[in-house]
Amino acid sequence: MRHNEPVDDPLRIADEVADALADGRPVVALESTIIAHGMPHPRNVETALTLEAIVRSGGAVPATVALVDGALRVGLSELDIERLGTNNQVAKVSLRDMGAVLASGGLGATTVAATMFAAHGAGIRVFATGGIGGVHRGDGHDVSADLTALGRFPVAVVCAGAKAVLDLPRTLEALETLGVPVLGWRTDAFPEFWTRGADLTVGTRVDGADQAAAVLDAHWSAGLTTGAVIGVPIPTEHEVDRALIETAIADGLGASDAAGISGSEVTPFLLAHIADATGGTSLDANVALVQENTRVATEVAVALAVTR
Ligand code: PSU
Ligand code: MN
């Protein structure tokens, strides 16, 4: 996919990121839909900058991904992050949207799927986010392209499982069908985003970064080309009460139906609605869990850099 003439290459890797990759030093990819569509201003920008700082303090280089001025950028400036977090015309870019937004030259925030594509193109193996998209509840057959991307791009996505607004059993089944390993970070339960999870199990428990890196390295060394999910439970002190979140989710799903929300607007609508319904508790939890995921991703990226 790389073009021969760098000047025409739509994939633009920041110098700091390119240098780290060339030296075999650890890099952690970060997405931008969470900035533009997943959190309100100013928490979104603060969080995005904090995540970059967490990666640096863990000894890796952050690479936040977005579409800026007609290029797919891997590694953003603070100004770019500020633009993504304040401009209300930012497109939500999954794989199908990329060509159109690149051609328009406008700002685009990349979802997990589009960020995996960019990370893979750049040669980055580890990516941190909040929660992946998945199979939505009900009979709408709304299935996130995050799942098919996990089946296509060899990148480990460190997340608090999938967002609990989804049908989590079906999401796990879909991952199995796609051949995507689901690892539990110091847990046997598949994390449920705002809560640590209890009812669903992961495929493999890993108790540290070396073990996670060994599994990933063996997976890819065997020639498998799929991605992986590393499910990190939200830290206990930030966990949202299960009854509170279930009520807010049910309320959000009802409101989204009533308002006729569909397609790519469903997830941002639900996140905003649930944040309101819980008086901001779900947003605080979302910020805490993505920070924790970023710490773990950094450890795994550092461990993986040693094995390769
Ligand atoms: N994690 C968060 N907040 C978010 C998302 C993840 O904590 O907003 C975003 C990711 O970009 C993910 C997207 O790819 O939600 C899923 O959107 P959809 O369900 O339309 O595929
Ligand atoms: Mn969808």
Side-chain angles (χ1 to χ4, degrees), residues 159-178:
C159 56
K163 286 178 278 279
V165 298
L166 301 166
D167 184 328
L168 297 181
R170 287 216 170 92
T171 299
L172 280 175
E173 288 297 341
L175 289 168
E176 190 219 307
T177 303
L178 291 161

Side-chain angles (χ1 to χ4, degrees), residues 98-186:
M98 198 168 295
V101 179
L102 284 171
S104 78
L107 282 173
T110 50
T111 62
V112 168
T115 306
M116 288 185 80
F117 168 78
H120 174 52
I124 301 169
R125 296 269 174 172
V126 183
F127 161 26
T129 183
I132 56 168
V135 181
H136 282 262
R137 299 187 195 182
D139 301 321
H141 303 284
D142 180 349
V143 178
S144 176
D146 292 356
L147 294 181
T148 40
L150 278 157
R152 287 177 60 195
F153 307 122
V155 173
V157 180
V158 183
C159 56
K163 286 178 278 279
V165 298
L166 301 166
D167 184 328
L168 297 181
R170 287 216 170 92
T171 299
L172 280 175
E173 288 297 341
L175 289 168
E176 190 219 307
T177 303
L178 291 161
V180 177
V182 178
L183 312 185
W185 178 260
R186 300 183 175 138

Side-chain angles (χ1 to χ4, degrees), residues 168-237:
L168 297 181
R170 287 216 170 92
T171 299
L172 280 175
E173 288 297 341
L175 289 168
E176 190 219 307
T177 303
L178 291 161
V180 177
V182 178
L183 312 185
W185 178 260
R186 300 183 175 138
T187 183
D188 296 301
F190 183 62
E192 299 187 12
F193 202 70
W194 295 289
T195 62
R196 295 174 63 83
D199 302 336
L200 301 164
T201 52
V202 295
T204 308
R205 174 187 177 122
V206 289
D207 282 297
D210 290 343
Q211 197 186 347
V215 173
L216 293 173
D217 191 40
H219 178 80
W220 291 321
S221 295
L224 291 163
T225 55
T226 53
V229 170
I230 301 181
V232 179
I234 182 171
T236 315
E237 64 273 25

